Amino acid sequence: MSKSARKLLVGLLLLMVSGLALGSLYGDPVTGLLVAAFLALVWQVRQLLAYDRVVRTGEPDHFQRGDGIWQQLYSRYRFEHQKSEVYKRRYRDLLAEIRKSTDAMPDAAVVIDSDNRIVTSNRAAKELVGLRPKKDKGERIEDILHHRDFSKLLNDSDFSAVVDLPSPLRPGHWLNCRIVPYGVDQRLVLIRDITDRLRLNKMRRDFVANASHELRSPLTVISGYLEGLTDEDIPPDLHVPFHQMQSQARRMNQVINELLELSRVESAGQASFDDSVDVAGLMHAAAKTYRSEPGAPNIVVDADPTVRLLGNATQIESVITNFVSNAIRYTPVDGKIVMQWSAKKNAARLAVTDTGEGIPAKDLPRLTERFFRVDRGRARSDGGVGLGLAIVKHILSRHDTELQIESTPGVGSTFSCVFDQHRLDRVSQAQSDEVA
Ligand code: ADP
């Protein structure tokens, strides 16, 4: 038992004994005891009410009287109260620091709850999307930033997905949005202005396209003269450099043509992506052309003519041509190439499989990089530029799909892509025969 509790009990006991003694003096010890107990009760109730006032108002000065156990309770309360005030101040300072740093961020950060309602946002959210920190609290974010792609992103459970949207406030500006999990049942929407990045990308694309155009004209003249000359027009000791000039000029032409195609695909803003493309027909035509090439392996086409693709015919033809020309380049003459176009209920798959030399697993992720070739020396002599799959990647992303590559060195490779139902146009056998 603590010292103060002991003091309280001794005090009460002394009061009772005094009451009893005083009562006995007047011949009524019970009344004396009752009066003493009543006085003790009144005193304790007063202390209790004073303590209650201190706790309710948070003002320790209300409690000035008392000692012993009440004084101890009061000291403990004052200690805890001061401690909590210190914590509160620290928490407030910390919050202010966090707010200052999120406000200093150039990117918008918006915390939303599981119902997409805004919990809090920083200053950049106001500048980028016009979100008012106080007024818009509790509003649904899609009511403020309404765009089909953004609503899709909100419902997406894949947190690596991003979307680019036109700015709702500044015409010509673009925003990049991503969503990451945050706290319990909350998400953080991060929005950044990517206008400068897009502008730089456009400048780079324009530069490559312009430089390629400028190089093409003089090269056409040089190639024209070189192709017009024969060995008879050249002294014998210049035959070797002459043939090298011819082959390098052809190669430069190929590089420039592919660079121009890449820029066209990258900036194909106005191109139509709704043609009903006869993929089976394109496959048969490509197979016919490539079968006549010297050293071409056996080419088989297995394509469903009743399914068409809603897309850009020229670009899809380019994808097929890239797949087949690569397959031919890297498959021996006794190998086999299979071109497939097959549909299931909700999707269709375009694939070209070869029994060629295959690609080492470490190189697979790099195949769509510009100018990347697995074996630079050999591919150069074989005429590969290293831009074909970069072009394919862009075309496929414009058709809402992506390139898939499976390959085993020494066994062969499959280059494929799967198109979603919304890109398919199913026709009857009679209709497909009609077009063929
Ligand atoms: P390239 O013009 O060099 O063929 P691509 O971008 O089309 O350029 O291909 C990049 C590289 O991928 C090629 O250099 C080659 O090393 C590899 N590659 C592409 N297709 C195949 C294939 N079917 N078999 C083996 N390697 C391939």
Side-chain angles (χ1 to χ4, degrees), residues 326 329-330 354 359 367 372-374 384-386 388-389 413 415:
N326 274 344
R329 195 174 295 145
Y330 304 106
D354 64 59
I359 302 152
L367 288 191
F372 179 80
R373 292 179 299 249
V374 173
V385 170
L389 292 178
S413 316
F415 288 77

Side-chain angles (χ1 to χ4, degrees), residues 168-338:
L169 297 184
R170 287 184 266 182
H173 277 245
W174 281 82
L175 305 175
N176 171 276
C177 309
R178 69 174 306 176
I179 298 177
V180 290
Y182 179 83
V184 181
D185 256 1
Q186 291 186 335
R187 284 165 299 159
L188 181 64
V189 183
L190 295 166
I191 305 167
R192 77 169 30 160
D193 191 325
I194 50 160
T195 316
D196 286 344
R197 201 180 79 200
L198 294 185
R199 212 171 277 150
L200 269 175
N201 266 344
K202 187 177 177 314
M203 273 165 67
R204 177 189 55 77
R205 276 201 312 269
D206 290 350
F207 172 77
V208 173
N210 292 337
S212 308
H213 266 298
E214 291 302 322
L215 286 172
R216 190 150 76 164
S217 313
L219 191 62
T220 311
V221 177
I222 296 169
S223 308
Y225 281 121
L226 285 174
E227 295 301 331
L229 292 171
T230 61
D231 280 357
E232 280 91 72
D233 308 317
I234 309 284
D237 56 327
L238 290 180
H239 280 182
V240 173
F242 170 64
H243 290 146
Q244 272 179 354
M245 283 162 77
Q246 275 189 325
S247 87
Q248 289 306 318
R250 269 184 226 122
R251 184 166 173 76
M252 271 181 81
N253 265 317
Q254 195 185 345
V255 173
I256 285 173
N257 287 339
E258 291 201 13
L259 275 175
L260 283 171
E261 186 177 352
L262 186 56
S263 339
R264 255 196 312 273
V265 169
E266 280 186 321
S267 54
Q270 304 302 316
S272 154
F273 287 90
D274 296 321
D275 309 338
S276 179
V277 184
D278 177 13
V279 179
L282 290 177
M283 281 189 164
H284 283 290
K288 200 171 157 193
T289 311
Y290 283 105
R291 272 187 202 116
S292 58
E293 282 213 349
N298 178 22
I299 302 178
V300 176
V301 179
D302 171 16
D304 182 350
T306 63
V307 179
R308 305 254 181 90
L309 178 68
L310 293 176
N312 183 293
T314 318
Q315 294 192 2
I316 295 301
E317 185 177 8
S318 173
V319 170
I320 295 172
T321 311
N322 262 298
F323 285 170
V324 186
S325 61
N326 274 344
I328 290 178
R329 195 174 295 145
Y330 304 106
T331 306
V333 67
D334 57 350
K336 185 176 173 186
I337 295 171
V338 181

